[in-house]
Amino acid sequence: MRQAQTSVDAARVDVAVYTAQVAQDRNALTLLLGTSVPGDLLPATLDMLHTAMPELTPGIPGEVLLRRPDVRESEHSLRAANANIGAARAAFFPSITLTASAGTASDSLSGLFASGSGTWSFLPQVMLPIFNAGSNRAHLRVAEVERDMLVAQYEKSIQTAFREVADALALRSNIDNQLAAQRSLTDATAVTYQLSEVRYRGGIDSYLNVLDAQRALYSAQKNLIATQLSRSTNLVTLYKVLGGGWQEADSAPDAIAVAR
């Protein structure tokens, strides 16, 4: 009786834990969408999750990774660094300002420069970088170093994108086999439990064997649910690491040029 009680109490603990997790997931969906999710849009079983997202198609181009937010952020930072380099180089050119003002008390051109008739000033103001070339050169060097750092960061973001996709695909290539094996194991354990009950009711085995078979079936069912959840999570991860899906990527020649 005590062994049966431990099985029941363990199941009660699991029910409480999973109920709380479902409530947290509902809250996460509400936060993400900004509104409550109608019950008819939520999956009733884990099997329904497999049809919620499209399966992978062959020939997905690598350009889809250019749509990832982290890659785009690095790309725009790199473009901004190139603009900063252009501004630093432009500082080496002289900045010339010409100011002029004229006035006269007569409409006669001959009296334009007559004494007392008015004034004319021509004051060239030339600012040459020769007086602050060291500062400008330092700014240019800093901009170039920052550009090199951002290039490395851009390369790292691309490498990270490919690694995350490779990790997700590695799990994807084996998760279906794992799920099939776990289903087969669960079915076999269920048959074992049924046979144990038959043997117990026929007076061949004690109820302890039934409890052992029941615990094994419960454990197999939990592992099956965990594997199904892992498969669904893997699809979500693939959707994320591929930059929001694996539909045909938009052409991005500017991004490719920056990457080069």
Side-chain angles (χ1 to χ4, degrees):
M1 185 190 68
R2 292 303 181 185
Q3 290 192 21
Q5 181 181 356
T6 58
S7 298
V8 173
D9 290 341
R12 291 174 58 194
V13 171
D14 289 338
V15 169
V17 171
Y18 295 142
T19 301
Q21 290 181 358
V22 170
Q24 292 173 350
D25 290 340
R26 287 177 180 266
N27 293 337
L29 282 175
T30 300
L31 177 63
L32 179 64
L33 299 177
T35 183
S36 59
V37 183
D40 56 345
L41 295 181
L42 296 174
T45 62
L46 285 177
D47 291 332
M48 296 179 62
L49 293 177
H50 299 164
T51 60
M53 297 183 62
E55 292 291 339
L56 287 174
T57 56
I60 298 175
E63 284 76 8
V64 297
L65 300 183
L66 295 175
R67 300 184 301 189
R68 286 172 51 116
D70 56 340
V71 174
R72 289 200 172 192
E73 180 185 7
S74 299
E75 175 188 332
H76 289 305
S77 298
L78 183 55
R79 287 178 175 175
N82 288 332
N84 292 336
I85 290 177
R89 287 176 177 169
F92 279 92
F93 291 89
S95 177
I96 302 175
T97 302
L98 301 177
T99 60
S101 62
T104 180
S106 173
D107 294 333
S108 173
L109 183 60
S110 60
L112 182 60
F113 298 103
S115 176
S117 65
T119 60
W120 175 266
S121 64
F122 183 80
L123 303 176
Q125 296 180 359
V126 182
M127 294 179 295
L128 296 175
I130 189 173
F131 300 110
N132 58 355
S135 175
N136 287 335
R137 188 172 291 108
H139 288 314
L140 177 59
R141 179 57 181 164
V142 169
E144 291 175 343
V145 171
E146 290 179 348
R147 189 270 313 277
D148 294 340
M149 292 172 59
L150 290 171
V151 168
Q153 181 63 37
Y154 184 63
E155 293 177 348
K156 178 182 177 182
S157 65
I158 294 178
Q159 293 171 359
T160 300
F162 276 99
R163 181 188 62 80
E164 290 179 350
V165 171
D167 290 345
L169 289 176
L171 177 59
R172 179 71 182 86
S173 62
N174 294 291
I175 191 65
D176 287 338
N177 293 334
Q178 180 181 351
L179 184 59
Q182 188 62 48
R183 281 201 177 102
S184 178
L185 175 62
T186 303
D187 293 340
T189 309
V191 173
T192 301
Y193 170 64
Q194 294 172 358
L195 294 176
S196 297
E197 272 199 322
V198 171
R199 291 172 63 86
Y200 166 70
R201 296 184 186 280
I204 300 176
D205 280 341
S206 68
Y207 195 70
L208 292 178
N209 292 330
V210 177
L211 286 177
D212 289 339
Q214 189 179 52
R215 280 193 291 262
L217 175 59
Y218 183 70
S219 177
Q221 290 173 334
K222 286 179 57 178
N223 290 334
L224 177 59
I225 293 175
T227 306
Q228 290 175 317
L229 182 60
S230 178
R231 185 182 187 277
S232 300
T233 303
N234 176 249
L235 286 175
V236 174
T237 301
L238 278 172
Y239 188 87
K240 173 185 175 182
V241 300
L242 288 173
W246 42 83
Q247 293 76 18
E248 185 177 356
D250 299 331
S251 59
D254 293 340
I256 297 175
V258 172
R260 290 175 180 172

